[in-house]
Amino acid sequence: MLRLRFTSGQRSGETVDVVEDVVHVGRADTNELVLRDDAVFPMHAKLLFDGTGWSIVDVHSERATYVDRSEGGDRTSHAVDAAPVLLIDGDVIRFGAGDDSVSAIVHLVDDVESAHVVVVRRLDEIVPSEDAFDSDPKRLRALYAVQKRIGGCSELGDLLSLLCDEIFLLVRGVTHVTVVLRDDDGTDSAQGLAAYVPVLTRVRGMVVASTKPIPITRSVYRKVIAERAAVLAADAPSEVGQTESLLSTHIRSVIGVPLWRGEDILGVVQVDNRESPGVFTHDDLELLATLAHNASLAVANCRLLARLQSAEERLKKENSFLKGREQTRRADGRGPIAIVGQSSAMDTLLEHLKKVVDTRVTVLIEGETGVGKELVASALHYQSRRRERLFVAQNCGAMPDNLLESELFGHKKGAFTGAHEDKKGLFEVADGGTLFLDEVSEMPLSLQAKLLRVLQEGEIRPVGSNVERRVDVRIVAATNRNLEGEVSAGRFREDLYYRLKVFPLRVPPLRERREDIPLLADHFLKIHGREMGKPVAGYSQQAMEALQAYDFPGNVRELQNEVQRIVIQVEPGEFVTPDLLSPRIRQTAEALSRTRPEKGSLKDMMDQVERVLLLESLREHGNNKSAAARTLGITREGLHKKLRQFGMT
């Protein structure tokens, strides 16, 4: 038993005996041990008994918990966090920091209930005797049937209820069955101590409500845990003693058997009779211990299954969230993926996309930087039957060669320096879905050979492994280079080139589809306006003409960046005017305005444009007529003739 003698705080001078195995400490009334002091958080700490000793855990109180201890004549202070700290006699617990903290001295008091040794059988000694079932042969058949039913349970609650019911059938003298389980299921035993908590009590013919205190004697299951053994008290009051818990529960005969997994005690099954002494025999003890062996495995399996189901559900939610966020990021209100464009070039691209969307062939997307190759690849995925699986993208030029191999194919622990654990590669992550390899021309030749094997055989081999794994991944590659030229230069494998270019898609640059610029500019204006909470009225005619006149060497990406910069500058509710455009785009607009002729006959308008071009060329070359003539592609004599024609000599 743990006894706390408070030396500071509102309970100073009081002594509190802690008899429950899990006691929460804090300012809130929901705690078993309530401390009203301001230094104490509503849910501050937790005291735990694991069957062998007491420990304390801080429950993220945001206010410190300390254990002060005498070590070698010196007083040292230990900060308590989420890892349990084992308490020893004479420790001082401080709840909170500073002068207003609450202090209590720890006294570990011998529990008279556990001082009595009854019949103890260690786990390795529990073997049913030859005559254990002689008096009742049906009992053996019943035990076999019970083991089968228990092994078929997949839910922990159903398993524990079934276990209690079957014990009532197997052991006639049982009036009560209680199951005590370790609260961390034994998976984190390296982290420290854990408490054992009574989770279910069944009374023959009825179920005790979980909201009521469970009437048990802790001396029995504490003895089971401490001795790692099964315990039998045929006449509990005389053999164990007139202890408080025995008297309050009226227990006359009791058996406790452990549930275990390897070296860990997962819990205890306690059965008792509250009517007559001398009810249970050694055969009952051996029978229940044998039953507990199979039940232990079933409990561990149920908990493992629950963790796996929880992890699977969490992964499904994360996967759904990530895919939803990805589609939302690309959404334009007309379809799942925003490919904006009404030009003939884009119509051709979309028609080709529809033809290949649900085939297994590899697709190579060609186009300049910034045209939207990844957007086309994601549209190919989300419009296909693979849409429910992952779309994974990797830029082959954004990672060193040695790391790229590990990123794509994974590695085994110890395969190279820094490989501290196994890692799945992107091919495995994208299994069943689509892997987009951007800038595939940047992939080193050694990796090109491994990629070719994946395309041909559908198999990968992680770095450092000698075992191949099959994957079902659709590969979509992209490049902004001329792969035929890369093959001729020896920088790209010819056989891989032909495997990738089964069905090429060319994404046209923005200068080849200028009629799409207004659509794209409006699309990006709405997106960035929503992001920044700044509605914009639209574009003025002069601003849109300037955007359409510009070549956009960075293509759609450059246009999007330009619109984002515009939204930052424009006042809410106003139109975008030419002065908000970047200098390089304004220069194009100014040149356009200078060459725009006044309305008239075709000859007059052509003469106006030609005169402006002659003046612009002379200005750029500092009135050097020879240089201007070379730029215009005419002779010096031809330039003089033009100048005389327009009266510019």
Side-chain angles (χ1 to χ4, degrees):
M1 182 176 64
L2 176 67
R3 179 168 294 163
L4 298 178
R5 182 166 60 85
F6 288 92
T7 58
S8 66
Q10 295 185 21
R11 302 190 68 161
S12 179
E14 293 185 27
T15 299
V16 176
D17 288 339
V18 179
V19 294
E20 300 292 335
D21 289 350
V22 181
V23 174
H24 297 85
V25 183
R27 203 170 62 244
D29 291 333
T30 53
N31 296 284
E32 290 82 10
L33 178 54
V34 179
L35 303 177
R36 300 294 186 187
D37 303 79
D38 292 337
V40 179
F41 205 71
M43 180 69 76
H44 198 106
K46 183 166 60 174
L47 296 165
L48 304 173
F49 183 78
D50 75 329
T52 59
W54 286 93
S55 60
I56 186 169
V57 179
D58 188 276
V59 291
H60 309 292
S61 64
E62 302 178 10
R63 304 186 185 184
T65 303
Y66 299 94
V67 172
D68 298 336
R69 179 173 299 167
S70 294
E71 296 178 344
D74 297 327
R75 199 73 176 173
T76 59
S77 183
H78 303 270
V80 180
D81 54 21
V85 173
L86 184 64
L87 297 173
I88 63 176
D89 197 64
D91 283 347
V92 176
I93 303 174
R94 286 189 289 120
F95 302 98
D99 296 336
D100 58 347
S101 63
V102 178
S103 299
I105 301 176
V106 172
H107 295 290
L108 300 179
V109 182
D110 289 337
D111 190 347
V112 294
E113 293 185 20
S114 61
H116 298 270
V117 178
V118 198
V119 177
V120 176
R121 299 291 296 275
R122 295 195 175 277
L123 303 185
D124 55 359
E125 299 173 349
I126 300 174
V127 179
S129 59
E130 295 181 1
D131 58 349
F133 300 98
D134 287 349
S135 60
D136 189 357
K138 294 181 179 179
R139 212 177 193 192
L140 179 60
R141 291 194 295 271
L143 177 62
Y144 174 73
V146 168
Q147 302 278 38
K148 288 180 61 177
R149 288 193 289 271
I150 288 177
C153 283
S154 59
E155 295 288 340
L156 183 60
D158 295 341
L159 169 65
L160 298 182
S161 295
L162 176 63
L163 178 61
C164 293
D165 291 340
E166 300 296 350
I167 289 175
F168 287 132
L169 294 176
L170 288 172
V171 185
R172 298 186 183 88
V174 175
T175 59
H176 294 71
V177 180
T178 299
V179 181
V180 180
L181 291 182
R182 180 171 172 157
D183 63 357
D184 69 347
D185 74 21
T187 58
D188 299 321
S189 57
Q191 298 297 321
L193 304 174
Y196 289 85
V197 181
V199 296
L200 177 67
T201 286
R202 291 295 297 271
V203 180
R204 188 178 289 272
M206 62 176 291
V207 180
V208 175
S210 59
T211 56
K212 297 180 180 179
I214 299 177
I216 63 171
T217 173
R218 287 174 174 76
S219 61
V220 175
Y221 78 76
R222 287 179 180 177
K223 192 71 177 176
V224 171
I225 295 167
E227 299 291 338
R228 303 180 60 78
V231 174
L232 164 64
D235 189 355
S238 62
E239 294 178 335
V240 178
Q242 300 292 328
T243 61
E244 181 181 350
S245 63
L246 283 175
L247 292 173
S248 63
T249 56
H250 307 290
I251 292 176
R252 306 302 301 274
S253 304
V254 62
I255 294 178
V257 293
L259 302 170
W260 70 93
R261 183 186 59 193
E263 296 299 317
D264 289 318
I265 301 293
L266 301 180
V268 176
V269 177
Q270 178 178 313
V271 303
D272 54 70
N273 182 287
R274 306 192 182 187
E275 297 173 355
S276 305
V279 172
F280 301 135
T281 66
H282 288 205
D283 287 348
D284 294 326
L285 176 67
E286 292 172 344
L287 176 70
L288 290 173
T290 304
L291 176 62
H293 179 79
N294 197 50
S296 300
L297 180 61
V299 168
N301 288 342
C302 286
R303 283 185 152 177
L304 175 60
L305 181 60
R307 290 199 303 274
L308 292 175
Q309 289 173 339
S310 177
E312 183 180 19
E313 185 65 25
R314 185 176 66 253
L315 289 175
K316 283 182 179 179
K317 290 180 180 178
E318 291 175 357
N319 189 16
S320 177
F321 168 76
L322 291 174
K323 289 195 296 185
R325 186 177 66 178
E326 178 70 9
Q327 295 197 42
T328 300
R329 186 171 67 87
R330 302 170 185 273
D332 66 343
R334 296 179 297 170
I337 299 297
I339 297 182
V340 179
Q342 296 179 350
S343 61
S344 58
M346 290 303 295
D347 287 343
T348 300
L349 172 64
L350 294 176
E351 283 299 319
H352 289 167
L353 190 67
K354 291 178 182 177
K355 293 178 181 178
V356 76
V357 66
D358 271 326
T359 65
R360 295 179 58 87
V361 301
T362 303
V363 176
L364 178 65
I365 303 175
E366 300 172 307
E368 299 177 4
T369 299
V371 294
K373 297 187 289 294
E374 184 175 347
L375 184 66
V376 174
S378 62
L380 184 65
H381 171 77
Y382 286 113
Q383 293 176 22
S384 73
R385 287 189 290 266
R386 295 175 178 260
R387 67 177 69 91
E388 297 303 322
R389 307 305 291 269
L390 287 179
F391 172 79
V392 181
Q394 174 62 46
N395 189 318
C396 299
M399 189 172 288
D401 297 351
N402 57 333
L403 294 181
L404 180 61
E405 181 178 9
S406 171
E407 188 71 13
L408 292 176
F409 298 96
H411 64 249
K412 299 292 290 182
K413 180 180 179 180
F416 50 84
T417 303
H420 301 301
E421 58 184 12
D422 291 355
K423 176 186 176 182
K424 282 188 175 183
L426 295 184
F427 277 102
E428 283 192 85
V429 172
D431 193 17
T434 302
L435 177 59
F436 174 59
L437 299 176
D438 198 7
E439 306 304 342
V440 70
S441 58
E442 302 294 329
M443 183 178 289
L445 288 170
S446 59
L447 281 187
Q448 292 178 26
K450 296 191 72 172
L451 176 59
L452 180 63
R453 178 166 181 80
V454 179
L455 291 171
Q456 291 176 336
E457 308 295 337
E459 295 178 340
I460 63 168
R461 180 182 295 177
V463 179
S465 174
N466 56 7
V467 178
E468 294 182 338
R469 304 175 183 175
R470 293 201 62 82
V471 291
D472 174 23
V473 179
R474 183 178 196 177
I475 296 177
V476 179
T479 181
N480 61 358
R481 294 189 181 184
N482 184 339
L483 280 188
E484 291 186 11
E486 295 295 301
V487 170
S488 300
R491 291 188 292 268
F492 202 83
R493 293 178 61 107
E494 185 175 11
D495 48 2
L496 178 59
Y497 167 69
Y498 289 117
R499 290 293 307 209
L500 289 176
K501 203 168 182 176
V502 176
F503 196 92
L505 294 174
R506 179 180 178 271
V507 184
L510 202 52
R511 62 181 176 275
E512 293 182 11
R513 53 183 187 116
R514 294 183 187 272
E515 58 267 46
D516 289 334
I517 290 178
L519 294 174
L520 288 165
D522 285 335
H523 175 68
F524 294 137
L525 193 68
K526 293 176 182 177
I527 289 177
H528 295 301
R530 285 196 301 266
E531 288 179 353
M532 300 182 191
K534 184 188 289 187
V536 183
Y539 297 90
S540 66
Q541 181 178 345
Q542 295 86 349
M544 184 56 71
E545 289 176 352
L547 290 173
Q548 287 187 276
Y550 182 62
D551 277 346
F552 284 103
N555 292 294
V556 179
R557 183 183 296 123
E558 183 182 1
L559 174 59
Q560 182 174 8
N561 293 339
E562 177 69 19
V563 174
Q564 188 175 26
R565 197 186 65 83
I566 288 171
V567 174
I568 294 173
Q569 299 180 87
V570 70
E571 294 297 325
E574 294 189 356
F575 283 90
V576 177
T577 53
D579 61 292
L580 297 176
L581 303 176
S582 300
R584 61 186 181 278
I585 298 179
R586 286 204 304 270
Q587 290 174 3
T588 303
E590 291 169 0
L592 180 65
S593 64
R594 287 195 298 270
T595 58
R596 184 182 292 112
E598 296 179 1
K599 290 185 178 181
S601 66
L602 178 60
K603 182 179 182 307
D604 291 341
M605 288 191 292
M606 291 296 294
D607 288 345
Q608 292 178 49
V609 172
E610 192 171 3
R611 188 174 187 279
V612 169
L613 294 176
L614 290 171
L615 286 172
E616 185 68 19
S617 182
L618 289 170
R619 183 186 63 78
E620 288 179 357
H621 294 284
N623 210 34
N624 185 322
K625 295 183 176 59
S626 297
R630 283 196 300 273
T631 301
L632 294 171
I634 59 178
T635 63
R636 180 181 173 88
E637 291 74 15
L639 176 61
H640 277 289
K641 182 178 179 181
K642 292 285 186 182
L643 295 176
R644 287 195 297 271
Q645 177 183 342
F646 294 118
M648 299 169 60
T649 55

